[in-house]
Each structure stands twice: as C-alpha cells, then as structure tokens.
C-alpha cells in the first residue's frame, strides 16, 4: 500500500511539473524551446505555448502515438509540413520525437500568432495586410 501511494505521488508530481512549469526542449534541427502551458487539445494531440531561443513566440503540437499507425501518420504530417511552402500554410520551424513509456511523442514547432491562426490567415489571405505565413517556393 505504501509503495503504491509513493508511486502515485511521484506520478502526480511529474504531471504537475509538466502541466504547470516550463521545460526546455531541443528539437532535431537544433531549435531550443522553453515549453510552457497547454493552450489547446485535439484527438491524440495537444498544443503547448512556448518561447524559442531568441525570444520568438512559438507553439509546440505534441502528437502522442501509442500505436504504429499513429506514429506513421505523425511522420507523414511532419514530411508534409516540411515539403509545403505556401502562403496559406503555417511553416514548420522544427520537429522531434521522444519516448514516454511505450508511446512515441512527436513535437512539431510552429510560429505563434497574436491574432490566432484564423485571424492571421484572414489578414494574410483575404485582406492581404500581412506577409505570407511561409515563403513561396
């Protein structure tokens, strides 16, 4: 009983650290990001706010993959984001993968926009009041 309580407290402490405090992560391309609190959540992903080295505001989309098919889908998403250079597509800044127990957690780093993504796309594509999200190829 005592061991179970100690393990539960350790897992609770780890959860509190990951949910409430920033941690520094270096992605595969060398981008260092101080990752903070969660700002959104999806099916098998969550989005965390962060700050890249140099002060740029970013978001990190974390895809938690328990199964091979999920991991393959995450890898295809990364490849598609890297290959696509269009003014209506947010540019992937960096990515990486780590293990968390039996799962693979893929991290995709994107710029964070003050107006939110919808507001930014509208300003850029509809009103043409801002430069494109990604450089044209």
């Amino acid at each position: 009983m005592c061991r179970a309580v100690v393990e539960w407290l350790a897992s609770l402490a780890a959860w509190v650290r990951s949910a409430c405090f920033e941690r520094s992560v270096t992605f595969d391309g060398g981008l260092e990001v101080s990752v903070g609190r969660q700002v959104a959540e999806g099916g098998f992903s969550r989005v965390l706010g962060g700050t890249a080295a140099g002060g740029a505001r970013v978001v990190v989309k974390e895809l938690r993959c328990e199964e091979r098919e999920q991991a393959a889908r995450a890898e295809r998403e990364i490849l598609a984001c890297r290959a696509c250079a269009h003014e209506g597509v947010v540019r992937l800044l960096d990515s990486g993968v780590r293990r968390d127990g039996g799962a693979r957690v893929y991290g995709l780093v994107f710029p964070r926009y003050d107006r939110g993504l919808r507001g930014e796309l509208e300003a850029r594509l509809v009103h043409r009041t801002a430069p494109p999200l990604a450089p044209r190829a």
Side-chain angles (χ1 to χ4, degrees), residues 52-72:
R57 291 177 39 165
V58 298
V59 293
V60 178
K61 179 179 180 181
E62 283 193 343
L63 301 136
R64 183 176 181 81
C65 303
E66 303 279 346
E67 301 172 8
R68 280 192 173 151
E69 175 53 37
Q70 291 173 324

Side-chain angles (χ1 to χ4, degrees), residues 4-21:
V5 170
V6 169
E7 289 174 359
W8 178 82
L9 287 172
S11 68
L12 177 63
W15 178 84
V16 168
R17 277 193 308 276
S18 69
C20 301
F21 301 104

Side-chain angles (χ1 to χ4, degrees), residues 31 47-48 50 57-61 77 81 89-94 107-113:
L31 182 64
V47 178
L48 307 167
R57 291 177 39 165
V58 298
V59 293
V60 178
K61 179 179 180 181
E77 181 174 341
C81 287
V89 177
V90 179
R91 184 169 59 97
L92 178 67
L93 301 174
D94 206 344
L108 289 76
V109 184
F110 297 99
R112 183 170 183 164
Y113 299 105

Side-chain angles (χ1 to χ4, degrees), residues 81-126:
C81 287
R82 284 187 182 145
C84 192
H86 182 273
E87 65 184 23
V89 177
V90 179
R91 184 169 59 97
L92 178 67
L93 301 174
D94 206 344
S95 64
V97 62
R98 65 179 169 82
R99 287 238 178 239
D100 183 14
R104 286 180 162 210
V105 180
Y106 291 82
L108 289 76
V109 184
F110 297 99
R112 183 170 183 164
Y113 299 105
D114 292 333
R115 298 180 259 222
L117 184 55
R118 183 180 178 148
E120 195 69 23
L121 285 170
E122 185 175 289
R124 291 168 188 267
L125 298 175
V126 177

